[in-house]
Short mmCIF file of all heavy atoms in Angstrom, two decimals:
data_model
loop_
_atom_site.label_atom_id
_atom_site.label_comp_id
_atom_site.label_asym_id
_atom_site.label_seq_id
_atom_site.Cartn_x
_atom_site.Cartn_y
_atom_site.Cartn_z
N LYS A 1 21.29 16.34 190.44
CA LYS A 1 21.61 15.29 191.42
C LYS A 1 20.35 14.84 192.12
O LYS A 1 19.30 15.51 192.09
CB LYS A 1 22.65 15.78 192.42
CG LYS A 1 22.22 16.97 193.26
CD LYS A 1 23.31 17.39 194.25
CE LYS A 1 24.44 18.12 193.55
NZ LYS A 1 25.46 18.64 194.52
N LEU A 2 20.45 13.69 192.78
CA LEU A 2 19.37 13.15 193.58
C LEU A 2 19.82 13.04 195.03
O LEU A 2 20.89 12.49 195.32
CB LEU A 2 18.94 11.77 193.08
CG LEU A 2 18.27 11.67 191.72
CD1 LEU A 2 17.90 10.22 191.43
CD2 LEU A 2 17.02 12.54 191.65
N PHE A 3 19.00 13.57 195.93
CA PHE A 3 19.20 13.42 197.37
C PHE A 3 18.18 12.42 197.90
O PHE A 3 17.07 12.31 197.37
CB PHE A 3 18.98 14.75 198.10
CG PHE A 3 19.97 15.83 197.77
CD1 PHE A 3 19.86 16.58 196.61
CD2 PHE A 3 21.01 16.13 198.65
CE1 PHE A 3 20.76 17.60 196.31
CE2 PHE A 3 21.91 17.14 198.37
CZ PHE A 3 21.79 17.87 197.20
N ARG A 4 18.55 11.75 199.00
CA ARG A 4 17.61 10.81 199.63
C ARG A 4 17.68 10.97 201.14
O ARG A 4 18.77 11.10 201.71
CB ARG A 4 17.93 9.37 199.24
CG ARG A 4 16.89 8.34 199.73
CD ARG A 4 17.30 6.93 199.27
NE ARG A 4 16.24 5.96 199.48
CZ ARG A 4 16.01 5.33 200.62
NH1 ARG A 4 16.79 5.55 201.68
NH2 ARG A 4 15.03 4.45 200.73
N SER A 5 16.53 10.94 201.78
CA SER A 5 16.45 10.97 203.24
C SER A 5 15.58 9.81 203.71
O SER A 5 14.52 9.54 203.13
CB SER A 5 15.84 12.28 203.74
OG SER A 5 15.66 12.26 205.15
N SER A 6 16.04 9.12 204.73
CA SER A 6 15.27 8.01 205.31
C SER A 6 14.78 8.34 206.72
O SER A 6 14.26 7.46 207.40
CB SER A 6 16.12 6.73 205.34
OG SER A 6 17.30 6.93 206.08
N ASP A 7 14.96 9.60 207.14
CA ASP A 7 14.55 9.97 208.50
C ASP A 7 13.73 11.27 208.52
O ASP A 7 13.89 12.11 209.40
CB ASP A 7 15.78 10.12 209.41
CG ASP A 7 16.78 11.16 208.90
OD1 ASP A 7 16.48 11.84 207.90
OD2 ASP A 7 17.86 11.27 209.51
N GLY A 8 12.85 11.39 207.54
CA GLY A 8 11.94 12.52 207.53
C GLY A 8 12.58 13.85 207.20
O GLY A 8 12.05 14.90 207.58
N GLY A 9 13.69 13.84 206.49
CA GLY A 9 14.33 15.07 206.07
C GLY A 9 15.34 15.63 207.04
O GLY A 9 15.89 16.72 206.82
N LYS A 10 15.66 14.90 208.10
CA LYS A 10 16.68 15.38 209.04
C LYS A 10 18.08 15.27 208.44
O LYS A 10 18.93 16.15 208.63
CB LYS A 10 16.60 14.60 210.35
CG LYS A 10 15.29 14.78 211.13
CD LYS A 10 15.33 13.99 212.42
CE LYS A 10 14.04 14.17 213.22
NZ LYS A 10 12.88 13.56 212.53
N ASN A 11 18.31 14.19 207.72
CA ASN A 11 19.62 13.95 207.10
C ASN A 11 19.40 13.55 205.65
O ASN A 11 18.43 12.86 205.32
CB ASN A 11 20.38 12.84 207.84
CG ASN A 11 20.71 13.24 209.27
OD1 ASN A 11 21.65 13.99 209.51
ND2 ASN A 11 19.94 12.72 210.23
N TRP A 12 20.36 13.97 204.79
CA TRP A 12 20.25 13.70 203.36
C TRP A 12 21.56 13.14 202.83
O TRP A 12 22.64 13.58 203.23
CB TRP A 12 19.93 14.99 202.60
CG TRP A 12 18.61 15.59 202.96
CD1 TRP A 12 18.36 16.46 203.98
CD2 TRP A 12 17.35 15.36 202.31
NE1 TRP A 12 17.02 16.80 204.01
CE2 TRP A 12 16.38 16.14 202.98
CE3 TRP A 12 16.96 14.59 201.22
CZ2 TRP A 12 15.04 16.16 202.61
CZ3 TRP A 12 15.62 14.61 200.83
CH2 TRP A 12 14.68 15.38 201.52
N ASN A 13 21.44 12.19 201.93
CA ASN A 13 22.59 11.65 201.22
C ASN A 13 22.41 11.88 199.73
O ASN A 13 21.30 11.75 199.20
CB ASN A 13 22.73 10.14 201.45
CG ASN A 13 23.03 9.80 202.89
OD1 ASN A 13 23.86 10.43 203.53
ND2 ASN A 13 22.34 8.79 203.42
N VAL A 14 23.50 12.25 199.05
CA VAL A 14 23.46 12.33 197.59
C VAL A 14 23.63 10.92 197.05
O VAL A 14 24.66 10.29 197.24
CB VAL A 14 24.57 13.26 197.06
CG1 VAL A 14 24.58 13.25 195.54
CG2 VAL A 14 24.39 14.68 197.58
N VAL A 15 22.59 10.41 196.40
CA VAL A 15 22.63 9.03 195.89
C VAL A 15 22.94 8.97 194.40
O VAL A 15 23.23 7.90 193.87
CB VAL A 15 21.30 8.30 196.20
CG1 VAL A 15 21.14 8.10 197.70
CG2 VAL A 15 20.10 9.06 195.63
N LEU A 16 22.87 10.11 193.72
CA LEU A 16 23.22 10.16 192.30
C LEU A 16 23.60 11.58 191.95
O LEU A 16 22.87 12.53 192.27
CB LEU A 16 22.03 9.71 191.43
CG LEU A 16 22.25 9.73 189.92
CD1 LEU A 16 23.33 8.75 189.51
CD2 LEU A 16 20.94 9.42 189.19
N GLN A 17 24.76 11.75 191.30
CA GLN A 17 25.19 13.06 190.85
C GLN A 17 25.69 12.97 189.42
O GLN A 17 26.52 12.13 189.09
CB GLN A 17 26.28 13.64 191.75
CG GLN A 17 26.68 15.06 191.37
CD GLN A 17 27.41 15.80 192.47
OE1 GLN A 17 27.78 15.21 193.48
NE2 GLN A 17 27.62 17.09 192.29
N ASN A 18 25.16 13.84 188.58
CA ASN A 18 25.52 13.84 187.18
C ASN A 18 26.97 14.30 187.00
O ASN A 18 27.41 15.26 187.61
CB ASN A 18 24.58 14.77 186.42
CG ASN A 18 24.99 14.96 184.98
OD1 ASN A 18 25.35 14.00 184.31
ND2 ASN A 18 24.93 16.19 184.51
N GLN A 19 27.69 13.62 186.13
CA GLN A 19 29.08 13.97 185.83
C GLN A 19 29.28 14.35 184.38
O GLN A 19 30.40 14.62 183.95
CB GLN A 19 30.00 12.78 186.18
CG GLN A 19 29.91 12.31 187.61
CD GLN A 19 30.40 13.36 188.60
OE1 GLN A 19 31.31 14.14 188.30
NE2 GLN A 19 29.81 13.39 189.79
N ASP A 20 28.20 14.38 183.60
CA ASP A 20 28.29 14.64 182.17
C ASP A 20 27.70 16.01 181.87
O ASP A 20 26.55 16.30 182.20
CB ASP A 20 27.51 13.56 181.41
CG ASP A 20 27.81 13.56 179.92
OD1 ASP A 20 27.85 14.65 179.32
OD2 ASP A 20 27.99 12.47 179.35
N GLN A 21 28.47 16.88 181.23
CA GLN A 21 28.00 18.24 180.95
C GLN A 21 26.82 18.27 179.98
O GLN A 21 26.09 19.26 179.92
CB GLN A 21 29.14 19.09 180.41
CG GLN A 21 30.13 19.53 181.47
CD GLN A 21 29.47 20.38 182.55
OE1 GLN A 21 28.73 21.31 182.26
NE2 GLN A 21 29.75 20.06 183.81
N GLU A 22 26.60 17.20 179.22
CA GLU A 22 25.46 17.15 178.32
C GLU A 22 24.18 16.75 179.04
O GLU A 22 23.08 16.96 178.52
CB GLU A 22 25.72 16.16 177.18
CG GLU A 22 26.74 16.63 176.16
CD GLU A 22 26.76 15.72 174.95
OE1 GLU A 22 25.68 15.23 174.55
OE2 GLU A 22 27.84 15.48 174.40
N ALA A 23 24.31 16.16 180.21
CA ALA A 23 23.14 15.63 180.92
C ALA A 23 22.41 16.73 181.68
O ALA A 23 23.00 17.73 182.10
CB ALA A 23 23.56 14.52 181.87
N PHE A 24 21.11 16.52 181.87
CA PHE A 24 20.26 17.49 182.56
C PHE A 24 19.03 16.73 183.03
O PHE A 24 18.22 16.28 182.23
CB PHE A 24 19.87 18.61 181.58
CG PHE A 24 19.22 19.80 182.20
CD1 PHE A 24 19.88 21.01 182.29
CD2 PHE A 24 17.92 19.72 182.69
CE1 PHE A 24 19.27 22.12 182.86
CE2 PHE A 24 17.30 20.81 183.26
CZ PHE A 24 17.97 22.02 183.34
N PHE A 25 18.89 16.52 184.34
CA PHE A 25 17.80 15.72 184.87
C PHE A 25 16.45 16.44 184.66
O PHE A 25 16.36 17.66 184.77
CB PHE A 25 18.00 15.44 186.35
CG PHE A 25 19.17 14.55 186.67
CD1 PHE A 25 19.55 14.33 188.00
CD2 PHE A 25 19.90 13.93 185.68
CE1 PHE A 25 20.63 13.52 188.31
CE2 PHE A 25 20.97 13.10 185.97
CZ PHE A 25 21.34 12.90 187.30
N ASP A 26 15.40 15.64 184.40
CA ASP A 26 14.07 16.20 184.11
C ASP A 26 12.98 15.75 185.08
O ASP A 26 12.06 16.52 185.36
CB ASP A 26 13.65 15.85 182.69
CG ASP A 26 14.44 16.61 181.64
OD1 ASP A 26 14.70 17.80 181.85
OD2 ASP A 26 14.81 16.00 180.62
N GLY A 27 13.01 14.52 185.55
CA GLY A 27 11.95 14.07 186.44
C GLY A 27 12.14 12.63 186.85
O GLY A 27 12.92 11.89 186.24
N MET A 28 11.43 12.23 187.90
CA MET A 28 11.52 10.84 188.38
C MET A 28 10.13 10.35 188.76
O MET A 28 9.21 11.13 189.00
CB MET A 28 12.46 10.74 189.58
CG MET A 28 12.06 11.58 190.75
SD MET A 28 13.22 11.44 192.14
CE MET A 28 12.66 12.82 193.15
N ALA A 29 9.98 9.03 188.79
CA ALA A 29 8.72 8.41 189.17
C ALA A 29 9.01 7.05 189.76
O ALA A 29 10.02 6.41 189.43
CB ALA A 29 7.80 8.27 187.96
N PHE A 30 8.10 6.59 190.61
CA PHE A 30 8.24 5.29 191.25
C PHE A 30 7.01 4.44 190.99
O PHE A 30 5.88 4.94 190.93
CB PHE A 30 8.46 5.46 192.76
CG PHE A 30 9.88 5.82 193.11
CD1 PHE A 30 10.31 7.14 193.02
CD2 PHE A 30 10.79 4.85 193.49
CE1 PHE A 30 11.61 7.48 193.33
CE2 PHE A 30 12.10 5.18 193.79
CZ PHE A 30 12.51 6.50 193.71
N HIS A 31 7.27 3.14 190.85
CA HIS A 31 6.21 2.15 190.77
C HIS A 31 5.43 2.17 192.08
O HIS A 31 5.96 2.55 193.13
CB HIS A 31 6.86 0.77 190.54
CG HIS A 31 5.90 -0.33 190.30
ND1 HIS A 31 5.27 -1.01 191.32
CD2 HIS A 31 5.45 -0.90 189.15
CE1 HIS A 31 4.47 -1.94 190.82
NE2 HIS A 31 4.57 -1.90 189.50
N PRO A 32 4.15 1.78 192.06
CA PRO A 32 3.39 1.76 193.31
C PRO A 32 4.02 0.94 194.43
O PRO A 32 3.70 1.16 195.61
CB PRO A 32 2.04 1.17 192.88
CG PRO A 32 1.90 1.58 191.45
CD PRO A 32 3.29 1.51 190.89
N ASP A 33 4.92 0.00 194.10
CA ASP A 33 5.55 -0.80 195.17
C ASP A 33 6.58 0.01 195.97
O ASP A 33 7.07 -0.45 197.01
CB ASP A 33 6.18 -2.07 194.61
CG ASP A 33 7.37 -1.82 193.66
OD1 ASP A 33 7.87 -0.67 193.58
OD2 ASP A 33 7.78 -2.77 192.98
N GLY A 34 6.95 1.20 195.48
CA GLY A 34 7.89 2.05 196.20
C GLY A 34 9.33 1.61 196.11
O GLY A 34 10.21 2.27 196.68
N LYS A 35 9.61 0.54 195.42
CA LYS A 35 10.99 0.04 195.28
C LYS A 35 11.55 0.35 193.90
O LYS A 35 12.68 0.83 193.77
CB LYS A 35 11.03 -1.46 195.54
CG LYS A 35 10.65 -1.86 196.96
CD LYS A 35 11.63 -1.29 197.97
CE LYS A 35 11.30 -1.75 199.38
NZ LYS A 35 12.23 -1.16 200.38
N GLN A 36 10.77 0.05 192.87
CA GLN A 36 11.22 0.31 191.51
C GLN A 36 10.99 1.79 191.17
O GLN A 36 9.91 2.33 191.44
CB GLN A 36 10.44 -0.55 190.52
CG GLN A 36 10.54 -2.04 190.78
CD GLN A 36 9.64 -2.82 189.84
OE1 GLN A 36 9.98 -3.02 188.67
NE2 GLN A 36 8.50 -3.24 190.33
N GLY A 37 12.00 2.40 190.61
CA GLY A 37 11.88 3.80 190.24
C GLY A 37 12.70 4.11 189.00
O GLY A 37 13.57 3.34 188.59
N ALA A 38 12.41 5.26 188.40
CA ALA A 38 13.12 5.70 187.21
C ALA A 38 13.32 7.20 187.26
O ALA A 38 12.48 7.93 187.79
CB ALA A 38 12.36 5.31 185.95
N MET A 39 14.42 7.65 186.72
CA MET A 39 14.71 9.07 186.56
C MET A 39 15.18 9.27 185.13
O MET A 39 15.95 8.47 184.60
CB MET A 39 15.79 9.52 187.55
CG MET A 39 15.98 11.03 187.66
SD MET A 39 16.94 11.75 186.33
CE MET A 39 18.46 10.82 186.45
N PHE A 40 14.70 10.33 184.46
CA PHE A 40 15.14 10.57 183.09
C PHE A 40 15.66 11.98 182.94
O PHE A 40 15.35 12.88 183.73
CB PHE A 40 14.01 10.29 182.10
CG PHE A 40 13.08 11.46 181.85
CD1 PHE A 40 13.09 12.14 180.64
CD2 PHE A 40 12.16 11.85 182.82
CE1 PHE A 40 12.24 13.20 180.40
CE2 PHE A 40 11.29 12.91 182.59
CZ PHE A 40 11.33 13.59 181.38
N GLY A 41 16.48 12.16 181.90
CA GLY A 41 17.05 13.46 181.62
C GLY A 41 17.21 13.67 180.13
O GLY A 41 16.89 12.80 179.31
#
């Protein structure tokens, strides 16, 4: 799953959670603009 915090780690929201037993997250990266991002598994 992916968690996200917009207040320095005080609060966290789950923004993505895997529902497929075959899936397994491996890593994520963001474009230098900080808006575009990718996660692969």
Side-chain angles (χ1 to χ4, degrees):
K1 62 179 75 175
L2 293 181
F3 294 79
R4 187 179 191 276
S5 175
S6 58
D7 58 5
K10 296 181 180 67
N11 296 282
W12 297 87
N13 295 316
V14 176
V15 293
L16 179 64
Q17 184 162 9
N18 173 43
Q19 302 295 327
D20 193 316
Q21 284 300 312
E22 288 190 37
F24 191 109
F25 293 173
D26 288 320
M28 59 181 168
F30 281 82
H31 186 276
D33 66 12
K35 296 297 183 182
Q36 302 175 78
M39 192 281 303
F40 86 109

